[in-house]
Amino acid sequence: MDKNNKARYIMFTIAFSILLLTNGFQVKASISSINIESEAALLMDAKSGQIIFGKNEKISMYPASITKIATAIYALENTNLDEIVEISEEATDVDGTKVYLVPGEKVTVEKLLIGIIMNSGNDAAFALAEHIDGTMENFEKNINEFLTETIGVEHTHFVNPHGLFDENHYTTVEDMAEITRYALQNDSFRNIFQMKEYDWDGEGWDTTLITHHRLLKGEYPYEGITGGKNGFVNESGYTLVTTAERDSLQLIVVTMKTNLKNVPYTDTIQLLDYGFENFETRKIEQDTVFETEEGRFIAKEDLYFTINKEHTYVTQVTNDGFLSIIDENTKNTLTQFSLTLEDIQTVEMEEAVASEVDETKADSSMHLLIGSFVSLFIILAIFIWQSDKPRGRFFRKM
């Protein structure tokens, strides 16, 4: 290669490299590039419930005010939004962040829920718990029963409705994601969870509430944020729950325990980027039938699962009706579902009834056809018989 050609080649290579770096490649976030500084974090698909990323997801942590997500959904399932709550003196004496309720003030459940989620009002959380269960002892018993039996979490125990520190008040990032996922099924919760501003006209405080969640209010601009709740006490550090949606992919991020105020948000953005750039939710339609040696199994509802956008999957069904979704690229089982065995006798009966109906319809058609031929034959015979008879008086008069 002569000097001129060599120089041209080098210049072309440099120019092409610059072009690729600036325009050609959209580098996707990979799991190896994620650097989570919070002690625990989790990324979950809200539709499927699958965990996309986890760090110390089963380690017990102190939640601080993200506790109020559980308090809110518990209240929504045990009260009506327009119920009136009379504020006790005990509620107004609670430490920490408040919406400055006053003793004897009457406030709706809905307004207290807004004060709990948007402004993290500990007095509002106490007032709601007291309204529902009478005492904090009853609240502790009932909310933990609700968490384990209704939502199904296993590593959470709450002793208060607000998240102020108690060594017996703990959860995990996995459980908090499950609690949030359950709460998102409630329309009223979702409406409050996404609020950014609210005009609060209380007896003790007249102001405009602005959400404390810095992603939700746009301090960290990010497309698709649909809700969030933050928390802090010294013993727990900063905690954060965030929900977001793009292209029908609904994500939940939970981060817990860091002493740096910005870290929950930078961690959350990393995880959201990773989720949105690499994954999608897919669905197996309700009433899809799977055949096995033991019979026919059916999906009684839509079944959602999460998979890498660039991967394919296969399904496997065991003879006892467990459906596995397997990533063909990694050979990993993504999730499993329990299918319903169709009652063979019922299926056979339905098929027999359908066959009998078809036969009846066929018989009816045949009978109608024969009847038509018989009627036509009779009409024809009468016509021939009449044509052979002598003409009557009527014809002679013409």
Side-chain angles (χ1 to χ4, degrees), residues 156-168:
T156 297
H157 185 268
F158 289 159
V159 300
N160 62 57
H162 38 63
L164 290 176
F165 175 72
D166 186 298
E167 64 180 9
N168 293 315

Side-chain angles (χ1 to χ4, degrees), residues 244-276:
E245 180 175 1
R246 289 185 196 169
D247 300 325
S248 299
L249 178 61
Q250 300 173 12
L251 296 178
I252 300 168
V253 177
V254 182
T255 66
M256 296 179 73
K257 199 168 186 183
T258 173
N259 292 323
L260 300 176
K261 187 176 182 179
N262 295 334
V263 162
Y265 296 96
T266 55
D267 285 347
T268 295
I269 290 170
Q270 283 190 78
L271 291 174
L272 289 175
D273 283 345
Y274 176 64
F276 285 130

